[in-house]
Amino acid sequence: MRIRKLSTAAASVAVVALLATACSGGGNGSDDPTSGQTQATSDERSDKVLTVGMPNGEASGNQNPIAPGSGSTSFGYAYAIYESLMQVNDVKPTDPPMPWLAEKVEWNDTYTEAVITPRAGVTWSDGEPFTADDIAYSLQIRKDNPELNVDFPEQYGEITTDGTTVTVGFTTGQYVNAAKLYRLLIVPKHIWENEDPVTYTADTMIGTGPFTLKSFTPQAVTLVPNDTYWGDAPLVGELRYDAFKDNAGLTTALTSGEAQWGWTFIPDFENTFIAQDPEHFHQVAGGGFGVDVLYLNTQKKPFDDVAFRKALNMVVDRADISATAGYGVWPQITSVTGLPQPSGDAFISDEFAGQELEVDVDGAKQVLTDAGYTWDGDALVDPDGEKVSFALTNPQGWTDYLDALGIIAEGAKELGAEATVEPVVADTWFNQVINLGDFQASLHWTDGGSTPWNLYSNIMDGASYVELGQPANWNFGRYQNDEATAALAEFKSATTDADRMAALQVVQKRFVEDVPGLVIWSRPAVAQYSTANYTGFPTDEDPYANPQPTGPQAALILTKLKPTA
C-alpha cells in the first residue's frame, strides 16, 4: 500500500484530526471488511479451528499480557483475551481511532491529560463487571512498576477516577503518543490487586476479549469463544496458536494449510505461498512509519566511534538487501534521514531534501583514514591498534533478518572489518541480547505512529537510555546526545507545526551526522492468511486494520471473521 504524500501542514492537520476524533468516536473501520473476497459467508458459528502460527519457537509459561517478552504476547493469544481502550489502524495511522473498551478519550490542549470514559455493559470473562477502576488500576500498575511501563517511562502523572471516568495525567505532552494510550491492554483489578503484577503469570487469563483460554502448552495454545463477550459474537469455533521454530517452518505450515493465519517473511511469496492455492491464500501488506534498524551498540567497540558508524552506513547496500534479503516485500530506504517514503516526505527537513543513501566504499575509507584508522594488509586497524571485528546478532530462523545481516557483513568486509552473523534462540534475543545490550549490532523494528517521532525516539532518545545490563525498552544502542533528546521532547510537547518541524530538523541532523543506528528498510505490516475456512480478514482493498494477529487489532479482526460457506 502507498500512502499519499501530504504537505507538512496537511500532515499535521491529519494528525490533529486523528487525536481530536478520539473524543467523538469514529467509525467501525469498514462497512464491509470482506470486500475484495468472493467467498460466501455464514453468520453461524463454525466448528472449524482457526490456527495461528508464529515463528518464535516455543512459548514461555508467562501469560502476563503486560509483561514485556511474555509468551502470551509473543504468540499473540493475549490479544484475543485482553483488549485495548481503542482500536488504532497502524496501516492508516491518520485515520481516527475506533472506540473499544473506552467509549471516548478526551485530551486537553497540551496533551498532558486524558479523560477516559469506559464502555458500559462490559463484563470480564468470570462475570464480574468491567469498570473505570479496572482502567485506572491498569494504568497505575504501569506507573508504579517501571518493568511494565514500556510506553510511558517516567511520564505518568496523577491517575484518578470519579467512578464513571478515569483521568490520567502526564508529566510531558503526549501529542505523538496518544495511540500508545489507546493500545494499552486492560487487566481486571479484582484479580490482579492480590498479586505482584510484575511476577504474576496470569494463568487463568480473565479478560474482556472475544476468546478465553482452554489449554496451554509451550507448543500449542487453544482458545474458545467467550459467550458473554460484549461485542459481536465470535463465529470462529476454536482458535489455536501453534509454535514453529523458524520462518521456514511457519511457511510450510501456511502453504500446507496446517496454519491459516500468521506473519512471517516468505521469500518469493507469490510462487512459494499464493500459487499453491490462489483462491484462498493471501498476503497483505500496509504502510506507515515503521522501519527496521540495525541498532549499533554505541557503548562497545567498534560502534563507540562515530567514524566507524558513518563508514559502515556508507557501505551498506540497501538496494541489495531489499531485493535479495527482502524479496521486494520490505521497501528500500533511500533518504539519508532514514524516513520511509512517501510516508515521510512531508517531514524531511530542507537541509536533507533530495539527499540519498548510496554505496561509497572509497568515501567510507576516507572517513576512516581521517579518523586515524589504518590497514594491515586488507584488515582494518582502529586508532588503538586493534583489528576491527564485530558480531551481527538476530534470532535463528528469521531468514530475512539473517540474510540482511549477511549483506551488511559483506559491506563491512569492503572496509577490512571482520563481521560475523551469529543467530541465537529467539527467547534469548528478546529477553537478554537486545534489551540488555548484550550485542554489538542487531536488527530490530521501530514503532510506527502517526508522525516520525516514534522512529527517531526508538533509535536515539536519551529519555529511554539505561546502562548496559539494565533492560531497555528502546534506544537499544545506548546512544546519548542531550541536543537530540531535548529536540525529541520539544517535538513531542510542541503546540505549533513550526515548532515541531524546527525540533525535527535538529533530530534529523543528529541522526545523519552521528549515525546512532542504520535504518535498513521500511516495515509495512505484513500477514498471510487462508480464506478456506474463514473470511473477513483485512485486504489490500479494505485495510481496515493491521492484518497481523499479534496486536490489539486481533480482537477487532476476530469479531469480523465469518465461516466460509
Side-chain angles (χ1 to χ4, degrees):
M1 184 185 113
R2 293 290 181 183
I3 296 181
R4 177 173 58 89
K5 177 180 177 181
L6 301 175
S7 68
T8 302
S12 299
V13 168
V15 174
V16 172
L18 163 68
L19 302 177
T21 51
C23 310
S24 60
N28 65 2
S30 171
D31 293 330
D32 179 16
T34 63
S35 64
Q37 301 182 29
T38 58
Q39 294 86 357
T41 58
S42 168
D43 289 332
E44 298 295 326
R45 180 174 292 167
S46 171
D47 59 0
K48 294 180 180 178
V49 177
L50 175 61
T51 300
V52 178
M54 285 299 293
N56 295 339
E58 294 185 352
S60 72
N62 188 356
Q63 317 282 19
N64 188 326
I66 62 175
S70 73
S72 65
T73 54
S74 176
F75 258 39
Y77 59 93
Y79 303 106
I81 296 174
Y82 298 93
E83 296 184 294
S84 58
L85 294 173
M86 308 283 274
Q87 287 287 341
V88 177
N89 189 348
D90 298 330
V91 177
K92 303 172 70 176
T94 58
D95 278 5
M98 181 196 312
W100 208 249
L101 284 184
E103 292 184 353
K104 58 182 178 179
V105 177
E106 299 170 292
W107 291 90
N108 64 1
D109 291 341
T110 58
Y111 288 90
T112 56
E113 184 178 276
V115 178
I116 305 165
T117 301
R119 181 180 293 276
V122 176
T123 61
W124 296 99
S125 56
D126 63 357
E128 290 293 316
F130 162 77
T131 70
D133 287 340
D134 294 309
I135 296 176
Y137 174 80
S138 297
L139 297 174
Q140 190 68 47
I141 58 175
R142 289 175 167 95
K143 175 184 177 181
D144 295 342
N145 298 280
E147 306 94 324
L148 305 177
N149 189 9
V150 175
D151 294 302
F152 300 102
E154 299 182 0
Q155 295 171 53
Y156 282 112
E158 188 176 11
I159 301 168
T160 60
T161 177
D162 63 4
T164 58
T165 63
V166 177
T167 300
V168 53
F170 295 94
T171 57
T172 60
Q174 299 299 327
Y175 174 83
V176 298
N177 283 332
K180 291 183 179 180
L181 178 65
Y182 305 152
R183 292 171 59 88
L184 292 181
L185 296 182
I186 306 303
V187 298
K189 178 183 178 182
H190 68 280
I191 293 177
W192 282 59
E193 64 183 344
N194 299 315
E195 307 286 347
D196 180 341
V198 176
T199 61
Y200 184 40
T201 57
D203 295 336
T204 55
M205 298 197 79
I206 302 300
T208 59
F211 286 83
T212 60
L213 179 66
K214 178 181 179 182
S215 64
F216 169 85
T217 72
Q219 299 80 29
V221 180
T222 301
L223 309 185
V224 293
N226 177 4
D227 289 328
T228 63
Y229 183 57
W230 61 269
D232 293 337
L235 302 181
V236 175
E238 186 171 287
L239 190 57
R240 180 183 170 107
Y241 292 77
D242 281 355
F244 298 92
K245 66 178 182 180
D246 53 26
N247 287 359
L250 179 52
T251 297
T252 298
L254 289 164
T255 303
S256 67
E258 178 186 352
Q260 301 91 45
W261 188 17
W263 65 279
T264 188
F265 174 72
I266 302 179
D268 193 18
F269 71 93
E270 290 280 2
N271 292 315
T272 302
F273 173 57
I274 292 176
Q276 307 309 309
D277 186 353
E279 181 181 359
H280 298 115
F281 288 176
H282 304 270
Q283 176 165 300
V284 61
F289 283 105
V291 297
D292 280 339
V293 180
L294 184 70
Y295 280 87
L296 307 175
N297 195 327
T298 64
Q299 304 295 302
K300 294 183 178 181
K301 277 192 168 187
F303 300 114
D304 59 348
D305 184 1
V306 65
F308 186 75
R309 300 198 301 265
K310 285 183 177 180
L312 184 64
N313 193 41
M314 294 170 70
V315 296
V316 170
D317 192 339
R318 290 169 172 83
D320 188 18
I321 291 175
S322 178
T324 305
Y327 280 80
V329 176
W330 312 131
Q332 177 187 355
I333 295 290
T334 59
S335 171
V336 295
T337 64
L339 290 180
Q341 296 172 278
S343 302
D345 283 345
F347 296 94
I348 295 175
S349 67
D350 292 342
E351 181 178 1
F352 302 113
Q355 294 189 33
E356 296 193 351
L357 294 159
E358 297 178 350
V359 175
D360 183 2
V361 176
D362 290 339
K365 287 184 175 180
Q366 187 61 54
V367 168
L368 294 173
T369 299
D370 293 344
Y373 287 75
T374 58
W375 282 262
D376 181 1
D378 292 332
L380 179 65
V381 179
D382 71 20
D384 295 329
E386 298 178 0
K387 291 184 178 179
V388 177
S389 64
F390 61 92
L392 296 153
T393 309
N394 271 114
Q396 60 192 23
W398 289 18
T399 53
D400 54 339
Y401 270 18
L402 296 177
D403 289 346
L405 295 183
I407 296 173
I408 293 169
E410 292 174 2
K413 186 177 180 180
E414 292 288 324
L415 297 176
E418 181 183 358
T420 56
V421 177
E422 299 184 3
V424 297
V425 175
D427 187 62
T428 301
W429 182 77
F430 275 112
N431 294 302
Q432 175 183 329
V433 172
I434 192 69
N435 66 334
L436 298 183
D438 188 15
F439 69 94
Q440 289 173 285
S442 184
L443 275 169
H444 192 289
W445 53 89
T446 66
D447 279 342
S450 53
T451 75
W453 186 88
N454 285 302
L455 184 158
Y456 289 121
S457 177
N458 292 169
I459 298 171
M460 56 192 296
D461 198 341
S464 298
Y465 173 84
V466 295
E467 294 183 356
L468 290 176
Q470 298 297 315
N473 294 324
W474 289 111
N475 190 3
F476 301 115
R478 273 68 176 179
Y479 170 82
Q480 294 186 82
N481 180 277
D482 291 343
E483 185 182 27
T485 300
L488 285 163
E490 174 62 24
F491 183 95
K492 182 180 172 185
S493 61
T495 57
T496 69
D497 294 342
D499 287 345
R500 292 187 191 99
M501 289 306 296
L504 192 59
Q505 183 175 6
V506 174
V507 172
Q508 290 180 0
K509 188 174 183 64
R510 293 274 56 82
F511 176 83
V512 172
E513 295 185 357
D514 293 354
V515 195
L518 275 59
V519 175
I520 300 301
W521 51 30
S522 63
R523 171 63 72 166
V526 175
Q528 299 86 24
Y529 58 81
S530 168
T531 56
N533 294 336
Y534 295 97
T535 189
F537 296 95
T539 66
D540 287 330
E541 295 79 16
D542 183 16
Y544 68 86
N546 178 327
Q548 297 172 347
T550 50
Q553 71 277 358
L556 169 62
I557 296 171
L558 288 166
T559 59
K560 288 183 175 290
L561 298 186
K562 294 185 177 183
T564 303

